[in-house]
Amino acid sequence: ICEEEPGPVTALIAQFIEELDGSSAGAVEGGLYALAVPHRSRGVEDDDEVAAGLGEGGEGARALEEGAREPQREERDRAGAKEEQQLLAPGSALWEQFGDEERSEAQRRADQIDADCSAHGVEVICCRDASFPAALRTIPEAPALVYVVGRLAALEERAVAVVGTRKASQKGLEIAEHVGRSLTERGWATVSGLALGIDAAAHVGCVKAGGTGVAVLGGGLDQITPKTNTALARALLEGGGALLSEEPPGVVARGPQLVRRNRLQSGLARASLVIECSPKGGAASHAKFATKQGRPLYAVIPSGSPADLDTSGAQHLARTMNAVPVASMEELLAQLDGSAGGAAGATQSTQVSLPF
């Protein structure tokens, strides 16, 4: 993917997409176009350029430099690039499957995507880049590239994904905000989808506490959906967070994209927490991906099943996906710290009992 010429990139993506069961024609077309984007692997000499796009301080640039110097990752990248060069060299059988017209159209579309990303300050990160989120490299159906706005280092922080229904109860919203705030106080980042309801409330709590929030969108990053959460997205970025999508600018989020982005939400996080959901909603889809990825899954089920909180979906996840029920913030934090260790320098205000 780091090749200067688009041909090998186009061929590689075509082969990858053909292996996906049930891929639509649109998905194949989009994959060919998006991954023909001309790409130059970033090195340490590019830090000033990266820092300019990530705000003051250059923290994202320093993170890129550290990632680029990681010996194991460099060795893996070199080995993968060599393998791809052998497979996709001009004259190979795979290369010859694509005609000049296909390559030309892919390049035209790729140039448009590249221009759109530049216009909107969107970073294109390929899976061979040192700055590609480490947590996404090994998940099933890992993306070949992602589009990012914000601080790239935010994608490497230990995080919990907090998801739930858009039609949340007042109690559910209060719990979600409380969770986002408490996770920040304990040194965790918050990952969510910026959707109305539980997602947004969790990020509000994170922002209020001065934490790191990562929002995974289903559409292109040139437009925030829903628009009512544009200010929240801006607050996440100002707080050192990031927005991520696998769709290029101009793509409107619809059902298939929203489902697929769930695997990125769960993939970026070390664990997922579900607060109010229906058994067949988007949060349930997220839970399935988390389970498939081997990530711990938790569900908020307070003691006594309060009437002002819908726990039917959470109980369904506990029965069918072995989601671990948690009845208090203290209980959740104990589970998280037990599986991932405490954060150095985190405040201790959440050591007291904080029932949902």
Side-chain angles (χ1 to χ4, degrees):
I1 290 175
C2 292
E3 292 290 326
E4 291 289 339
E5 297 297 326
V9 175
T10 304
L12 173 64
I13 301 314
Q15 182 189 46
F16 171 74
I17 292 176
E18 286 175 357
E19 294 176 356
L20 298 179
D21 294 333
S23 293
S24 66
V28 174
E29 181 182 73
L32 285 171
Y33 290 162
L35 293 186
V37 174
H39 179 70
R40 176 172 59 88
S41 182
R42 291 192 181 276
V44 175
E45 68 276 11
D46 299 307
D47 277 357
D48 290 342
E49 177 186 348
V50 176
L54 297 182
E56 299 179 359
E59 294 180 13
R62 287 193 292 273
L64 284 175
E65 181 177 349
E66 293 171 1
R69 291 177 175 176
E70 180 183 339
Q72 292 182 344
R73 182 174 295 180
E74 285 185 344
E75 183 178 352
R76 181 174 63 244
D77 289 356
R78 284 196 298 270
K82 181 177 180 180
E83 181 181 350
E84 288 170 7
Q85 289 171 0
Q86 294 173 346
L87 176 66
L88 303 169
S92 68
L94 185 56
W95 171 274
E96 296 302 327
Q97 290 180 16
F98 299 93
D100 292 340
E101 185 175 345
E102 289 176 298
R103 296 171 187 165
S104 177
E105 177 60 15
Q107 183 63 56
R108 183 201 66 77
R109 175 61 177 138
D111 288 342
Q112 183 61 56
I113 292 174
D114 197 32
D116 290 343
C117 287
S118 296
H120 295 284
V122 178
E123 185 82 7
V124 185
I125 307 177
C126 296
C127 61
R128 293 295 179 187
D129 286 345
S131 55
F132 190 86
L136 295 183
R137 289 183 181 273
T138 58
I139 65 170
E141 299 182 51
L145 62 76
V146 292
Y147 300 86
V148 179
V149 172
R151 187 172 64 94
L152 300 184
L155 305 176
E156 303 297 341
E157 294 189 19
R158 67 171 198 167
V160 175
V162 183
V163 298
T165 181
R166 289 171 171 79
K167 301 178 180 179
S169 66
Q170 183 59 39
K171 181 65 173 178
L173 295 175
E174 292 172 358
I175 290 174
E177 183 173 336
H178 177 56
V179 167
R181 183 175 64 254
S182 297
L183 288 174
T184 294
E185 293 173 347
R186 195 57 169 247
W188 293 83
T190 300
V191 174
S192 204
L194 204 66
L196 298 173
I198 297 298
D199 290 30
H203 271 150
V204 167
C206 171
V207 168
K208 286 183 177 180
T212 298
V214 175
V216 183
L217 277 63
L221 299 181
D222 57 320
Q223 49 190 336
I224 301 300
T225 52
K227 291 183 179 180
T228 52
N229 282 340
T230 299
L232 178 56
R234 186 178 300 113
L236 290 173
L237 295 176
E238 292 173 349
L243 309 179
L244 178 145
S245 176
E246 65 177 324
E247 301 294 342
V251 173
V252 178
R254 303 194 186 283
Q257 287 93 348
L258 292 173
V259 171
R260 284 179 57 79
R261 69 93 180 262
N262 287 333
R263 82 190 196 287
L264 304 184
Q265 286 183 158
S266 57
L268 283 170
R270 297 193 186 184
S272 292
L273 175 70
V274 178
I275 306 172
E276 279 195 319
C277 73
S278 68
K280 297 182 180 180
S285 169
H286 175 109
K288 291 179 181 178
F289 282 118
T291 300
K292 185 176 181 180
Q293 294 164 356
R295 304 290 202 265
L297 177 63
Y298 303 100
V300 172
I301 306 178
S303 302
S305 297
D308 56 350
L309 182 72
D310 182 4
T311 63
S312 60
Q315 291 175 359
H316 175 77
L317 295 179
R319 290 193 305 270
T320 62
M321 297 187 198
N322 294 321
V324 178
V326 289
S328 71
M329 194 66 221
E330 183 183 41
E331 187 176 341
L332 173 62
L333 291 170
Q335 291 278 355
L336 293 174
D337 289 343
S339 62
T347 63
Q348 300 301 311
S349 63
T350 49
Q351 290 290 345
V352 297
S353 179
L354 298 171
F356 290 129

